[in-house]
Amino acid sequence: MAHLAYFDESGDAGLVNSPTQYFVLACVLVPEADWLASLDALVALRAGLRTKYAIRTRPEIKSTDIRRGRGPLLGLRLSPATRMRLFRGLMIYQARKLPSLRAFAVAIRKASCAARGREPRETAWQFALQRVDRFCRSANSRALLFPDEGHGPFIKRLTRRFRRFQNIPGAFGGNLSIPLRRVLEDPNDRESHDSYFIQLADWNAYAAHRSKYVAPVPGVPDDIWDGLAGYRLLDVNAVRGGPPGIVCWP
C-alpha cells in the first residue's frame, strides 16, 4: 500500500520585510487505491462550483483568489460573505466526500524559529516529513511526495539527508535517531494548476494559517479549518498537544 502526499504553503519563509509572522505548510495524504475515486470527487466538486457560482472548471482556484475575488472569481461579483461561504464549503466537502484522505498542517512562527537557530522553511518541511513517515509506519504504507512546483530540489536534498541521518528530540528528553524509511524516491513537483490535489493543499494551508489557532485576519472566518473535522490527521501532535491537525512551533 502507498499514499500520495501533496503539499502546498501559505505565507513566505522570509524574515525581512515579510507580511506574515508564520510560514505554514499543509499536506494531503491520498491512499493510492482511492486516488481515482478522489479525483472523480474533485471533478464533481468543480462541476458543482460551476453550477452554483459560475466558476469555470479549468482555472486553478487559489485560496487568495477566494479571499480577494480574483483569478477565476474575477467579474463574478461574489460578495465577501459569499466567497467565505464558498471557502467553508470547500473544507466541508473534503470531510464529507473524501473520507479516506487525511490532512494536516505545520505552522512555524518564523522569528521564534530563527531565534533558535533554525530556518523556518526547512523546519516546516522536516516536521511534515517526520509526520508523513510516522503515519506510514502506523498504516504499514509508503509515501510518494508531490510538492508544488519549484520546491523539488530543496525537498530532494532534505529527504536524501533524512533517509540517512535524522536526530529528533525525544518527548521526554534526549534525542532519537529516526531516519526516514517510508518515503519513496525523490519528490515529484506538480504545477498547482495541473493538480486538484495540490489545490486542496493550498486551500488547507491558508485555512490553517488564518485559523484561530495560528494567525487570524479580518475578513476570513477563523474556524474554516475546523470544517475539515475528522479529515484532519490528529496524530501529528498527539504527544505534545496543540490545535487539531496543526503542528505549531515553537
Side-chain angles (χ1 to χ4, degrees):
M1 182 178 178
H3 281 76
L4 286 69
Y6 295 88
F7 298 87
D8 207 353
E9 304 169 351
S10 177
D12 67 273
L15 294 166
V16 180
N17 297 323
S18 172
T20 62
Q21 294 182 342
Y22 281 86
F23 175 77
V24 179
L25 176 66
C27 175
V28 175
L29 290 158
V30 184
E32 52 87 15
D34 296 332
W35 184 89
L36 184 55
S38 300
L39 177 62
D40 290 343
L42 294 177
V43 171
L45 168 64
R46 292 303 299 264
L49 295 180
R50 180 183 58 197
T51 300
K52 186 172 183 178
Y53 297 104
I55 301 172
R56 291 173 294 154
T57 57
R58 287 190 176 273
E60 175 185 5
I61 303 175
K62 290 182 175 292
S63 53
T64 51
D65 293 338
I66 300 173
R67 181 184 179 189
R68 298 168 183 165
R70 297 178 180 176
L73 280 66
L74 185 66
L76 299 182
R77 299 185 178 181
L78 301 178
S79 69
T82 299
R83 297 198 304 272
M84 289 303 105
R85 283 198 298 273
L86 163 62
F87 202 169
R88 189 185 302 278
L90 296 176
M91 301 292 108
I92 295 172
Y93 188 92
Q94 294 178 63
R96 291 180 177 175
K97 300 297 184 179
L98 302 170
S100 67
L101 276 60
R102 290 293 178 267
F104 70 90
V106 177
I108 302 297
R109 185 185 287 272
K110 297 185 294 184
S112 301
C113 178
R116 298 189 180 202
R118 301 193 60 162
E119 196 277 323
R121 186 179 178 218
E122 179 173 318
T123 301
W125 275 100
Q126 181 177 12
F127 287 0
L129 292 173
Q130 289 170 359
R131 270 65 182 183
V132 169
D133 190 70
R134 186 169 68 191
F135 169 82
C136 288
R137 281 188 272 116
S138 297
N140 193 24
S141 181
R142 302 289 190 275
L144 294 167
L145 309 182
F146 296 89
D148 191 13
E149 186 187 34
H151 305 295
F154 166 77
I155 305 164
K156 178 171 68 175
R157 290 195 297 272
L158 288 185
T159 54
R160 289 185 174 185
R161 185 207 317 169
F162 295 149
R163 280 193 190 106
R164 304 305 173 193
F165 178 81
Q166 181 176 220
N167 273 341
I168 300 174
F172 306 103
N175 289 311
L176 304 175
S177 177
I178 307 179
L180 296 181
R181 285 290 181 263
R182 297 283 175 159
V183 175
L184 302 178
E185 259 290 357
D186 290 332
N188 299 271
D189 285 28
R190 288 291 185 272
E191 294 185 9
S192 56
H193 66 262
D194 276 339
S195 172
Y196 282 157
F197 294 103
I198 295 288
Q199 292 174 46
L200 283 186
D202 169 75
W203 302 338
N204 294 351
Y206 191 80
H209 190 175
R210 296 313 181 186
S211 71
K212 58 181 174 285
Y213 309 112
V214 182
V217 291
V220 180
D222 65 6
D223 62 345
I224 286 182
W225 171 257
D226 295 327
L228 293 177
Y231 179 91
R232 296 170 295 188
L233 183 61
L234 303 182
D235 289 347
V236 294
N237 51 16
V239 175
R240 296 183 181 275
I246 304 176
V247 179
C248 293
W249 195 83

